[in-house]
CSV table of all heavy atoms in Angstrom, one decimal:
chain,number,residue,atom,x,y,z
A,153,ASP,N,-8.3,-21.8,4.0
A,153,ASP,CA,-7.6,-22.4,5.0
A,153,ASP,C,-7.8,-23.9,5.0
A,153,ASP,O,-8.7,-24.4,4.3
A,153,ASP,CB,-8.2,-21.6,6.3
A,153,ASP,CG,-7.2,-21.6,7.5
A,153,ASP,OD1,-6.5,-22.7,7.9
A,153,ASP,OD2,-6.9,-20.5,7.9
A,154,LEU,N,-7.0,-24.5,5.9
A,154,LEU,CA,-7.1,-25.9,6.2
A,154,LEU,C,-7.7,-26.2,7.5
A,154,LEU,O,-8.2,-27.4,7.8
A,154,LEU,CB,-5.8,-26.6,5.9
A,154,LEU,CG,-5.7,-28.2,6.1
A,154,LEU,CD1,-6.6,-28.7,4.9
A,154,LEU,CD2,-4.3,-28.6,6.0
A,155,ASP,N,-7.7,-25.3,8.5
A,155,ASP,CA,-8.2,-25.5,9.9
A,155,ASP,C,-9.7,-25.6,9.9
A,155,ASP,O,-10.5,-24.7,9.7
A,155,ASP,CB,-7.7,-24.3,10.7
A,155,ASP,CG,-8.0,-24.6,12.1
A,155,ASP,OD1,-9.1,-25.1,12.5
A,155,ASP,OD2,-7.0,-24.4,12.9
A,156,PRO,N,-10.2,-26.9,10.2
A,156,PRO,CA,-11.7,-27.1,10.2
A,156,PRO,C,-12.5,-26.3,11.3
A,156,PRO,O,-13.6,-25.9,10.9
A,156,PRO,CB,-11.9,-28.5,10.3
A,156,PRO,CG,-10.6,-29.1,11.0
A,156,PRO,CD,-9.5,-28.2,10.5
A,157,ALA,N,-11.7,-26.0,12.4
A,157,ALA,CA,-12.5,-25.3,13.5
A,157,ALA,C,-12.6,-23.8,13.2
A,157,ALA,O,-13.6,-23.1,13.3
A,157,ALA,CB,-11.7,-25.5,14.8
A,158,LEU,N,-11.5,-23.2,12.7
A,158,LEU,CA,-11.5,-21.8,12.3
A,158,LEU,C,-12.4,-21.5,11.1
A,158,LEU,O,-13.2,-20.6,11.0
A,158,LEU,CB,-10.1,-21.2,12.1
A,158,LEU,CG,-9.2,-21.4,13.3
A,158,LEU,CD1,-7.8,-20.7,13.0
A,158,LEU,CD2,-9.8,-20.7,14.7
A,159,LEU,N,-12.4,-22.5,10.1
A,159,LEU,CA,-13.3,-22.3,9.0
A,159,LEU,C,-14.8,-22.4,9.4
A,159,LEU,O,-15.6,-21.8,8.8
A,159,LEU,CB,-12.9,-23.4,8.0
A,159,LEU,CG,-11.8,-23.0,7.1
A,159,LEU,CD1,-11.4,-24.2,6.1
A,159,LEU,CD2,-12.0,-21.8,6.3
A,160,THR,N,-15.0,-23.2,10.4
A,160,THR,CA,-16.4,-23.3,10.9
A,160,THR,C,-16.9,-22.1,11.5
A,160,THR,O,-18.0,-21.6,11.2
A,160,THR,CB,-16.5,-24.5,12.0
A,160,THR,OG1,-16.2,-25.7,11.4
A,160,THR,CG2,-17.9,-24.5,12.5
A,161,ILE,N,-16.0,-21.4,12.3
A,161,ILE,CA,-16.4,-20.0,12.7
A,161,ILE,C,-16.5,-19.0,11.5
A,161,ILE,O,-17.5,-18.2,11.6
A,161,ILE,CB,-15.4,-19.6,13.8
A,161,ILE,CG1,-15.1,-20.4,14.9
A,161,ILE,CG2,-15.6,-18.1,14.2
A,161,ILE,CD1,-14.1,-20.2,15.9
A,162,ALA,N,-15.7,-19.2,10.6
A,162,ALA,CA,-15.8,-18.1,9.5
A,162,ALA,C,-17.1,-18.5,8.7
A,162,ALA,O,-17.8,-17.5,8.3
A,162,ALA,CB,-14.5,-18.4,8.6
A,163,GLU,N,-17.4,-19.6,8.4
A,163,GLU,CA,-18.6,-20.0,7.6
A,163,GLU,C,-19.8,-19.5,8.4
A,163,GLU,O,-20.8,-19.1,7.7
A,163,GLU,CB,-18.5,-21.4,7.3
A,163,GLU,CG,-17.5,-21.8,6.1
A,163,GLU,CD,-17.3,-23.2,6.1
A,163,GLU,OE1,-17.7,-24.0,6.9
A,163,GLU,OE2,-16.5,-23.7,5.1
A,164,GLY,N,-19.9,-19.8,9.8
A,164,GLY,CA,-20.8,-19.4,10.6
A,164,GLY,C,-21.1,-17.9,10.6
A,164,GLY,O,-22.1,-17.3,10.5
A,165,THR,N,-20.0,-17.2,10.7
A,165,THR,CA,-20.1,-15.7,10.9
A,165,THR,C,-20.6,-15.1,9.5
A,165,THR,O,-21.4,-14.1,9.6
A,165,THR,CB,-18.7,-15.1,10.9
A,165,THR,OG1,-18.1,-15.8,12.3
A,165,THR,CG2,-18.6,-13.6,11.1
A,166,PHE,N,-20.3,-15.6,8.3
A,166,PHE,CA,-20.6,-14.9,7.0
A,166,PHE,C,-21.6,-15.7,6.3
A,166,PHE,O,-21.7,-15.6,5.1
A,166,PHE,CB,-19.4,-14.9,6.2
A,166,PHE,CG,-18.2,-14.0,6.7
A,166,PHE,CD1,-17.2,-14.5,7.5
A,166,PHE,CD2,-18.3,-12.6,6.4
A,166,PHE,CE1,-16.2,-13.6,8.0
A,166,PHE,CE2,-17.2,-11.8,6.9
A,166,PHE,CZ,-16.3,-12.2,7.7
Side-chain angles (χ1 to χ4, degrees):
D153 210 302
L154 185 62
D155 190 314
L158 299 184
L159 279 174
T160 296
I161 296 172
E163 289 165 351
T165 300
F166 294 95

